[in-house]
Amino acid sequence: MTDMDIRLTVNGRLQHAKAGVMRTLLTVLREDFGLTGTKDGCSSGDCGACVVVMNGQVVNSCMVLAAQADGSQVTTVEGLASNGELHPLQRAFGGTWAFQCGFCTPGMLVSCHALLSSNDNPSREEVLTAIAGNFCRCTGYQGVVNAVQQAAAELRSANAEAVLQHD
Amino acid sequence: MIDSGAVGRWVSAPGAYDIVTGKARYCPDLDFPGMLIGKLLYSPHARACIRRLDVTAARMIPGVIAVLTHADIPGENSYLYAEPDQPLLVVDEVRFQGDAVAAVAAIDEQTADAALRAIDVEYQALDGIFDPLAAMQAGAGQVVAGKDNIMMHKTYRTGDVAAALASAHVIVENTYRTQWAEHAFLETEGGVGLVDADGGVTVYSSCQAPHRDRMQIARALGLPESRVRVITPYIGGAFGGKDEAHVQIHAALLAHAARRPVRLIRGRRESILTHVKRHPFIVHCITAATRDGRLLAVKARAIVDAGPYSNATHEVLNKFGEFIGGPYTVKNLEIEKIAVRTNNPITGAFRGFGAPQAAFVYESQMDDLARKLGMDPLEIRLLNGVDTGTRMYTGVVVREGKAMKASLRRAAEMMGWQQRGELGRQPATHLRRGWGMATILKGSGMGRGLPDHAAVLLEMHRDGSVVLQSGAADMGQGIVTVLAQLAAESLGVEMSSVHVVRADTAQAPDAGASCASRQVMVSGNAVLRAAVPIRDSLLQVAAEKTGVARDRLVLHGGRLHVDGQAHDLTVAELARRALFRGYPLQSEGRYELEYPADAPEVTYRYSQEVFQFCTQIAQVLVDCETGQVAVERLVAVHDAGKMINPGGVYGQIEGGVAQGIGYALTEELRVTEGHTLNASLENYVIPMALDIPELEMDVLEMPEPLGAPLGAKGIAESPIIPTAPAIRNAILDAIGRPLYQLPMTAERVLSALDAAPCADPA
Amino acid sequence: MSAPDYRAPELLANALGIKREFGADARVVAGGTDLILRMRDKVLSPKVLIDLRRISLASISRHAGEMHLGAYVTLSQMLASAEVRVAFPALVEACRSFAGPPIRNRATLGGNIVNASPAADLVPPLIAYDASVVLASLSASRVLPLMDFFTGPGKTVMEPHEVLTEVRLPLPPPRTAASFTKLGQRRSMAIAIVNLSARLTLDRAGQMSEARIVLGSVAPTAMRARAAEAILTGNEPSDEQFEQAANMAVAEISPISDVRSGKDYRKRVTGVLVRRALMAARHKLAEVGRND
Ligand SMILES: Cc1cc2nc3c(=O)[nH]c(=O)nc-3n(C[C@H](O)[C@H](O)[C@H](O)COP(=O)(O)OP(=O)(O)OC[C@H]3O[C@@H](n4cnc5c(N)ncnc54)[C@H](O)[C@@H]3O)c2cc1C
Ligand code: FES
Ligand code: FES
């Protein structure tokens, strides 16, 4: 077996890794790039702790071979804040107690962030559907719904302001 | 006026920034130069004798640095904190699927796996003992040689049960069965062991009790406790499942042998197969009442399958017996508690310690009784409920019990209990709707007679910032937030000025385990006490500087206040001056849970005396053709005594209820001949986001009069306790058929319906 | 065991060449949501993994009376496609019931078929819609009704040197409606206890000229309840007819017990679900009728 050269753009930065075929995107992110924000809760696609965005879509990084991810654009929890400034969703998660132990949070945040990029005013049912693959053992998902809706409202009013300023 | 401080406000957790940015480090995220990967070898048999164990080949593999068997353990080859009867590495006999046979440390995962494969073990499979009822019989053979299969057999009696039964007008008598349940904390167990330059070890541990881990690790290594340091990094949930030490001991042993850092993290399947489960119970229960619904007697016999080792079995049965009468006045009670050894999975602590099983029994009995008497479930509970001053069958007098009835009334009001039928009991031919309630009590603290104390170290620096050292593990339940709030409040600084160091035994004094809903009470009070001398120092300099009498001075929000008005002097300025004067700004606070000293009437051993009361009411929709149950609404009203951190309190309630819904409807480990068949998050079915209704919650604040800081009682365990019986009673209401077994899967609901098909609603 | 080689050829011919060379030792990896777990559990240990992602097999297109879905079309793509939703609503219902969003973004149509799990959610609706599969090899390619594809759990008639490139779905005839129902232990992330599809076609007189009942999870492969279908064919749809067909479907199966369910329960709920699926199909027919 020969290791393959993998190139990924992770959170906007081009990264290289050498990987045997059975290594997953999750292990490359965590072990080679030191991005330990993304968690391993099951290694079998069942919990969503490892969710990242790959080429614009949420995926379970434990179920993607690094080789399959070669050439793709990946966003992890570490990439949600920009220039040290938290995304409104991240701020809302803290304020609404959307987590307790926080182990599900990176995957949950990535799923919710992806939802907000296609839906600026999600209903409770839409949030729950978006996180239907993200398991949380500590909470009852209530805080997550509140956080997403709160962040959505904040983003909408920020957008409205931006539009006004443009006019 | 001064607005309220950090306490009681909706604050964020101090770790929130780390968590939402992915910076929070849990055991699997820790990395050290030269770190090895540790793994454990398990037997394919639930019970087997080890004929040969040869690790030579494994040791020869390049990159394998340490391979350990029982012979390589420098100290004691046993663990568990109360009765250390579980081997760290099996000596000659495997007694359950999770008994570890050998441990390896290698440069990477693949090499460690190769080492496991290279270990040569010859097993002789033995016939296991898997049925607890059979194991109790004479001649059953011993699960552990030299030990009786009956691990515990105790009976507690109060009053005259026989006479009460004889005089009763109604009796309900049923047999209940509960399942093995899995904690499924999202972060599996893990530890990282490091060898210090001086030969001691440091262990990062995903645990609930760092000081107790230290004791166990030292014992296994044969080192004095002073040479072992346990640090808790971020911890991804525990729920009782990390109350006992686990692989952190093996990580320490491997690191000690390899002289290199070793990280040992259980995989999900391994985790499910190896750690303790919630005890499965078989309970036979008789409840007797008068014609007008007054409880006369409860008589119960509980048999639990303990697996081969003790773990928290004694504690769980103790709490089961303590709460089997429920939050009711029962004068005559008899509870027989039997724990049986088998070769099935080990069982131990899990949120509620036996109280969820007890509640499933007593709250089901209450509804069966109400039906028999033609009474409303609310009415029969109000009639029998305890109150402040009630003497319980344990002998404990309830110091603050108004929440029992208050929570019932409030929950009934929120659900619209009196108008419940109006929504429609049969929205479609095959659907039936029903409502059910359960009300419970659960004690906080270890129990009378058991050590139950905590200490903290508090220090203010010259800039007014505060460091708090506490040995209380935060597994997500939020103790760090509460302690930061209390420190901030009592020192008059902003919460952001308080840094709580995550538990580190080298720095923090012992706080005991984070279990039994106790840390808010014991560590919380310790913080309040620690703050006193520091506040005194600050107020002393303030009085000297301003010339104002001390009793007119208050510290708040980082500032001095005189007669309620903000003053120019900041706490930082006061701290600087206090240090200059040599006034102490460091202090230790210690608190031991108080029990009224002289209480000969308390006859139940290790009784808890601070009570969390709560009521939950469920509205369910049952599909009578498939047996599927949908929880449409769930109202939860809980007494927290006093809410210090509302976000945390509501979070504990919703999380507990979510676990309770799973316990009620789907969660069950399927174990055949000692082997778990569904050791994955795919097949151990836990409700996901779409399966949980929007909870309707309310929190009552009935302050605990004795000791607890600002009256707080702890809230961690009670939320999971009433959920299953509330749902059970709602199903009963919907379909007219009682269920006596958890979980109430669609398949079981359908069998209950087979006994009599869905009747048309009245 | 050594790790396999990974190849992602740009041309189908190259992929087929690798298949020709390695046969069963070369496996296609699509979304990997089945394969990776099997390889981790050492159930499968291929020497070569062929990733077809550089070959365009992920398109949805229409061709005279048929819809062609590439083997690499993901569940999410089907959910997002208005064309699929309009023409094959039961297939989309199956997609919606499937796992959760991150799995749906990876899992493919072809993977769900070739994996040949008796519980595969897409298979009953695909069979109900008369799907056929295109199997390509270096020498030839063949088109096969999906109904004839499976031979047992994890077993198919696909030859070791073949790959699945496409699924073809004829556009349903007029006055046709199909439905999908699934019984799982939770609302997402659930493998079916029973999953099935029903499809009804009415003639101009309002009688069922054709009826399909395709059952999943109750036999080694997805199966048609032919005797139940026969009860319906030629009759007018009615509750009694549906009830009889449902009972017949139950009589036609002998499912097994597993961790998800006992066999008796499976049998019983199959009857319930068949009846409901038929009623849902009739309901849709009525709606279509109103819109006409
Ligand atoms: C958490 C989780 C939840 C799931 N939930 C569901 C569910 O609800 N319902 C359900 O039906 N399934 C479910 N599955 C199973 C799985 O996701 C599906 O079967 C999926 O459709 C497989 O597609 P894939 O692209 O990932 O296949 P892969 O894993 O890539 O491949 C599966 C098999 O098919 C072969 N193969 C794939 N494509 C081709 C091709 N074009 N030609 C030849 N051979 C090919 C592979 O070699 C392999 O043997 C779940 C799996 C997971 C991990
Ligand atoms: S770790 Fe990937 S889904 Fe659980
Ligand atoms: S917060 Fe612990 S798993 Fe979600």
Side-chain angles (χ1 to χ4, degrees):
Chain A
M1 130 190 109
T2 45
D3 281 357
M4 306 190 31
D5 273 314
I6 312 283
R7 284 155 181 266
L8 293 170
T9 306
V10 184
N11 301 329
R13 262 185 60 202
L14 186 64
Q15 303 252 51
H16 298 258
K18 287 212 175 291
V21 171
M22 284 315 287
R23 290 193 71 203
T24 58
L25 175 59
L26 175 63
T27 54
V28 169
L29 289 171
R30 288 177 54 83
E31 293 169 11
D32 297 28
F33 305 157
L35 295 170
T36 54
T38 306
K39 305 299 181 204
D40 181 352
C42 70
S43 298
S44 58
D46 294 306
C47 77
C50 65
V51 166
V52 300
V53 169
M54 182 170 121
N55 297 333
Q57 290 190 310
V58 294
V59 301
N60 301 96
S61 60
C62 72
M63 296 298 285
V64 177
L65 300 179
Q68 293 178 293
D70 186 23
S72 47
Q73 305 268 343
V74 174
T75 306
T76 69
V77 67
E78 288 94 343
L80 297 185
S82 52
N83 306 322
E85 174 132 2
L86 295 186
H87 187 274
L89 186 64
Q90 290 173 298
R91 264 185 279 122
F93 256 59
T96 60
W97 284 77
F99 56 82
Q100 289 170 32
C101 79
F103 205 76
C104 66
T105 309
M108 199 72 87
L109 274 168
V110 169
S111 287
C112 296
H113 188 263
L115 169 68
L116 287 179
S117 64
S118 64
N119 183 342
D120 72 350
N121 191 11
S123 65
R124 174 182 156 83
E125 189 73 10
E126 284 168 333
V127 177
L128 296 178
T129 303
I131 59 169
N134 292 87
F135 170 53
C136 174
R137 189 53 153 173
C138 301
T139 77
Y141 307 94
Q142 211 106 318
V144 178
V145 174
N146 296 342
V148 174
Q149 292 183 335
Q150 190 176 308
E154 194 180 319
L155 288 165
R156 282 197 308 276
S157 66
N159 281 344
E161 246 169 62
V163 170
L164 280 181
Q165 277 165 8
H166 255 271
D167 283 351
Chain B
M1 258 325 285
I2 302 167
D3 65 340
S4 77
V7 166
R9 268 212 335 246
W10 195 285
V11 298
S12 290
Y17 180 86
D18 288 354
I19 285 173
V20 300
T21 51
K23 291 193 170 75
R25 294 202 167 232
Y26 301 75
C27 272
D29 306 330
L30 301 176
D31 199 359
F32 296 92
M35 189 179 76
L36 305 172
I37 298 300
K39 289 201 173 226
L40 299 176
L41 181 72
Y42 300 96
S43 149
H45 310 283
R47 187 180 193 191
C49 174
I50 295 187
R51 289 299 197 70
R52 185 180 66 246
L53 175 55
D54 183 351
V55 298
T56 340
R59 285 195 172 130
M60 306 282 283
I61 296 174
V64 174
I65 313 298
V67 181
L68 306 181
T69 70
H70 66 91
D72 306 304
I73 296 174
E76 279 179 40
N77 179 19
S78 63
Y79 69 122
L80 304 189
Y81 61 82
E83 187 192 339
D85 61 352
Q86 183 165 348
L88 287 160
L89 295 173
V90 167
V91 179
D92 48 17
E93 186 178 327
V94 172
R95 300 197 186 88
F96 88 110
Q97 64 184 1
D99 260 335
V101 173
V104 303
I107 51 167
D108 57 25
E109 183 117 14
Q110 288 89 308
T111 314
D113 279 329
L116 292 184
R117 283 194 301 272
I119 295 173
D120 180 16
V121 199
E122 189 189 323
Y123 297 100
Q124 183 193 352
L126 301 174
D127 287 338
I129 298 174
F130 303 115
D131 176 0
L133 300 179
M136 288 169 68
Q137 306 304 319
Q142 286 177 331
V143 170
V144 179
K147 289 190 181 174
D148 197 333
N149 285 349
I150 298 188
M151 185 187 282
M152 161 181 173
H153 188 164
K154 284 186 180 155
T155 303
Y156 174 82
R157 280 186 200 89
T158 187
D160 186 343
V161 173
L165 289 181
S167 71
H169 296 112
V170 280
I171 280 185
V172 287
E173 176 169 2
N174 295 300
T175 300
Y176 294 82
R177 288 190 167 75
T178 69
Q179 73 276 42
W180 279 287
E182 157 66 30
H183 307 76
F185 26 70
L186 193 50
E187 183 218 359
T188 55
E189 308 91 313
V192 183
L194 305 166
V195 182
D196 303 337
D198 62 0
V201 298
T202 296
V203 182
Y204 289 84
S205 174
S206 181
C207 70
Q208 292 177 235
H211 285 80
R212 219 160 58 191
D213 277 17
R214 180 179 68 182
M215 175 267 283
Q216 298 210 43
I217 292 165
R219 190 167 64 194
L221 286 169
L223 288 174
E225 284 187 44
S226 57
R227 308 303 297 281
V228 175
R229 174 180 183 187
V230 174
I231 302 174
T232 61
Y234 279 88
I235 298 170
F239 317 114
K242 297 175 183 171
D243 198 26
E244 266 301 353
H246 40 83
V247 294
Q248 60 270 54
I249 310 180
H250 300 89
L253 286 168
L254 285 166
H256 187 73
R259 306 266 123 198
R260 280 168 72 169
V262 175
R263 185 173 75 202
L264 205 173
I265 310 292
R266 275 186 178 146
R268 176 59 62 187
R269 184 180 146 77
E270 178 187 4
S271 168
I272 297 178
L273 296 181
T274 55
H275 71 245
V276 294
K277 301 290 163 274
R278 190 187 288 290
H279 288 79
F281 274 64
I282 302 171
V283 185
H284 179 249
C285 186
I286 304 172
T287 306
T290 62
R291 202 185 316 274
D292 55 3
R294 278 185 200 280
L295 290 180
L296 287 172
V298 171
K299 182 177 180 191
R301 180 178 201 243
I303 299 172
V304 309
D305 183 338
Y309 307 119
S310 64
N311 282 285
T313 294
H314 283 81
E315 290 86 337
V316 165
L317 270 173
N318 175 264
K319 292 300 138 201
F320 177 89
E322 184 176 341
F323 297 117
I324 187 65
Y328 304 112
T329 308
V330 183
K331 295 248 155 53
N332 307 293
L333 181 136
E334 178 181 312
I335 169 69
E336 188 181 359
K337 301 168 285 186
I338 304 170
V340 187
R341 280 181 218 277
T342 66
N343 294 108
N344 283 323
I346 53 173
T347 44
F350 191 164
R351 202 173 197 167
F353 275 90
Q357 293 97 324
F360 179 61
V361 174
Y362 64 75
E363 283 301 82
S364 298
Q365 290 285 94
M366 286 305 274
D367 262 44
D368 284 14
L369 201 57
R371 281 177 92 83
K372 228 170 167 172
L373 288 161
M375 282 177 84
D376 185 279
L378 175 62
E379 191 193 335
I380 195 168
R381 287 175 170 84
L382 287 171
L383 179 70
N384 289 287
V386 300
D387 211 326
T388 303
T390 305
R391 184 170 179 275
M392 312 251 297
Y393 54 88
T394 52
V396 173
V397 175
V398 179
R399 286 198 292 271
E400 173 50 68
K402 288 193 291 295
M404 192 280 166
K405 289 173 188 165
S407 70
L408 269 169
R409 292 202 174 97
R410 176 75 183 120
E413 177 193 331
M414 285 168 70
M415 179 54 87
W417 181 256
Q418 305 304 345
Q419 308 84 41
R420 62 193 184 279
E422 288 168 18
L423 189 58
R425 288 185 163 272
Q426 189 173 1
T429 336
H430 61 288
L431 297 178
R432 294 292 184 288
R433 189 174 273 129
W435 291 262
M437 61 171 57
T439 188
I440 63 106
L441 87 172
K442 170 72 182 70
S444 299
M446 305 299 288
R448 178 185 281 273
L450 291 171
D452 201 354
H453 48 77
V456 298
L457 292 178
L458 196 58
E459 178 172 8
M460 183 177 278
H461 300 301
R462 67 187 65 242
D463 58 358
S465 67
V466 177
V467 169
L468 175 63
Q469 292 283 358
S470 157
D474 193 331
M475 309 82 65
Q477 86 283 22
I479 187 63
V480 160
T481 311
V482 165
L483 298 185
Q485 286 176 287
L486 290 173
E489 176 98 7
S490 40
L491 293 174
V493 296
E494 297 290 346
M495 217 182 127
S496 55
S497 304
V498 181
H499 176 57
V500 182
V501 182
R502 300 189 70 86
D504 175 349
T505 62
Q507 301 185 54
D510 192 354
S514 291
C515 70
S517 310
R518 62 184 284 277
Q519 285 292 10
V520 167
M521 297 189 302
V522 288
S523 288
N525 267 330
V527 169
L528 293 188
R529 289 193 176 170
V532 171
I534 300 176
R535 193 174 52 223
D536 280 349
S537 297
L538 297 171
L539 290 176
Q540 180 62 33
V541 280
E544 288 166 14
K545 174 86 177 124
T546 58
V548 179
R550 269 191 57 174
D551 57 7
R552 292 168 54 201
L553 303 178
V554 169
L555 302 173
H556 181 79
R559 220 163 248 299
L560 178 71
H561 287 71
V562 182
D563 298 333
Q565 297 298 319
H567 187 274
D568 283 348
L569 274 174
T570 60
V571 170
E573 179 64 16
L574 295 174
R576 198 181 59 76
R577 284 169 185 273
L579 278 174
F580 189 74
R581 295 275 167 90
Y583 296 165
L585 288 185
Q586 278 181 316
S587 134
E588 170 169 340
R590 187 175 182 285
Y591 181 78
E592 177 153 18
L593 198 63
E594 294 169 46
Y595 290 87
D598 180 33
E601 70 279 8
V602 177
T603 45
Y604 195 91
R605 212 148 175 234
Y606 309 133
S607 283
Q608 294 168 318
E609 299 186 14
V610 176
F611 296 116
Q612 311 163 36
F613 289 97
C614 67
T615 300
Q616 291 177 10
I617 305 183
Q619 173 184 314
V620 304
L621 195 59
V622 182
D623 183 327
C624 295
E625 292 176 343
T626 62
Q628 287 170 299
V629 176
V631 181
E632 292 187 308
R633 285 180 65 197
L634 202 138
V635 166
V637 179
H638 286 250
D639 173 23
K642 156 87 189 160
M643 273 201 282
I644 295 173
N645 170 19
V649 170
Y650 285 103
Q652 286 294 318
I653 296 173
E654 64 156 296
V657 171
Q659 290 182 356
I661 293 175
Y663 186 55
L665 297 178
T666 54
E667 292 184 31
E668 175 173 36
L669 280 173
R670 305 281 298 276
V671 180
T672 300
E673 307 263 285
H675 292 283
T676 301
L677 306 179
N678 54 343
S680 69
L681 295 182
E682 176 194 335
N683 291 324
Y684 181 79
V685 182
I686 302 173
M688 303 282 286
L690 285 165
D691 304 290
I692 298 167
E694 186 164 9
L695 306 178
E696 299 157 62
M697 300 181 266
D698 197 16
V699 174
L700 307 175
E701 295 183 282
M702 307 274 180
E704 166 60 29
L706 195 71
L710 315 164
K713 291 176 179 176
I715 184 80
E717 292 169 292
S718 57
I720 195 180
I721 300 173
T723 317
I727 292 173
R728 181 266 185 195
N729 290 337
I731 296 172
L732 168 64
D733 184 47
I735 66 174
R737 306 294 313 171
L739 276 89
Y740 297 105
Q741 182 169 9
L742 289 178
M744 299 170 286
T745 58
E747 210 167 338
R748 290 197 180 117
V749 171
L750 206 58
S751 324
L753 279 165
D754 281 346
C758 263
D760 280 335
Chain C
M1 183 209 75
S2 69
D5 252 0
Y6 170 87
R7 315 254 182 100
E10 314 242 344
L11 296 173
L12 182 60
N14 294 350
L16 297 175
I18 302 168
K19 261 295 197 186
R20 162 78 59 205
E21 187 185 342
F22 289 92
D25 282 337
R27 289 205 87 94
V28 171
V29 58
T33 59
D34 272 315
L35 185 63
I36 293 174
L37 292 180
R38 274 160 209 273
M39 289 176 62
R40 265 188 214 142
D41 294 346
K42 315 233 168 1
V43 178
L44 289 176
S45 317
K47 292 206 175 89
V48 185
L49 288 182
I50 314 173
D51 190 339
L52 307 177
R53 71 189 160 109
R54 300 216 162 93
I55 302 162
S56 62
L57 288 179
S59 62
I60 299 175
S61 57
R62 257 180 96 151
H63 302 256
E66 278 188 344
M67 189 97 80
H68 291 189
L69 303 171
Y72 266 44
V73 166
T74 62
L75 280 277
S76 297
Q77 266 179 285
M78 289 186 271
L79 272 172
S81 158
E83 274 187 301
V84 176
R85 191 162 54 237
V86 170
F88 307 106
L91 182 59
V92 172
E93 285 162 33
C95 292
R96 200 172 292 128
S97 79
F98 192 111
I103 290 285
R104 292 201 290 263
N105 284 337
R106 294 292 295 164
T108 65
L109 172 63
N112 199 243
I113 294 171
V114 177
N115 193 50
S117 159
D121 281 323
L122 303 187
V123 170
L126 286 171
I127 291 180
Y129 284 125
D130 282 332
S132 47
V133 288
V134 180
L135 303 176
S137 70
L138 213 45
S139 45
S141 94
R142 53 179 178 145
V143 183
L144 198 75
L146 183 59
M147 191 60 216
D148 301 337
F149 183 70
F150 303 105
T151 55
K155 295 207 177 71
T156 71
V157 298
M158 198 169 74
E159 299 289 339
H161 56 275
E162 287 180 318
V163 304
L164 170 64
T165 54
E166 192 170 87
V167 176
R168 296 186 177 165
L169 289 165
L171 295 176
R175 293 179 305 278
T176 297
S179 63
F180 172 81
T181 69
K182 167 172 170 178
L183 190 114
Q185 289 163 290
R186 51 188 172 193
R187 281 185 64 198
S188 68
M189 304 304 287
I191 302 296
I193 290 174
V194 176
N195 50 353
L196 56 87
S197 232
R199 171 178 138 167
L200 299 176
T201 302
L202 300 185
D203 61 20
R204 289 186 188 283
Q207 289 179 337
M208 292 178 280
S209 53
E210 206 173 23
R212 295 281 161 75
I213 298 170
V214 190
L215 310 176
S217 317
V218 294
T221 67
M223 60 172 274
R224 279 176 64 176
R226 300 218 184 237
E229 292 173 357
I231 290 181
L232 300 174
T233 314
N235 288 315
E236 213 163 288
S238 69
D239 288 356
E240 300 74 54
Q241 289 281 324
F242 290 170
E243 188 71 46
Q244 277 181 32
N247 292 339
M248 181 55 78
V250 172
E252 286 180 76
I253 57 172
S254 44
I256 57 160
S257 297
D258 62 15
V259 282
R260 281 179 274 284
S261 160
K263 57 178 191 291
D264 294 338
Y265 180 74
R266 270 214 165 85
K267 247 181 124 117
R268 270 181 74 173
V269 293
T270 299
V272 176
L273 263 56
V274 165
R275 177 163 44 78
R276 290 185 187 174
L278 289 167
M279 282 164 50
R282 179 178 58 185
H283 185 74
K284 287 185 191 178
L285 279 169
E287 278 189 347
V288 173
R290 264 200 299 283
N291 293 343
D292 277 354

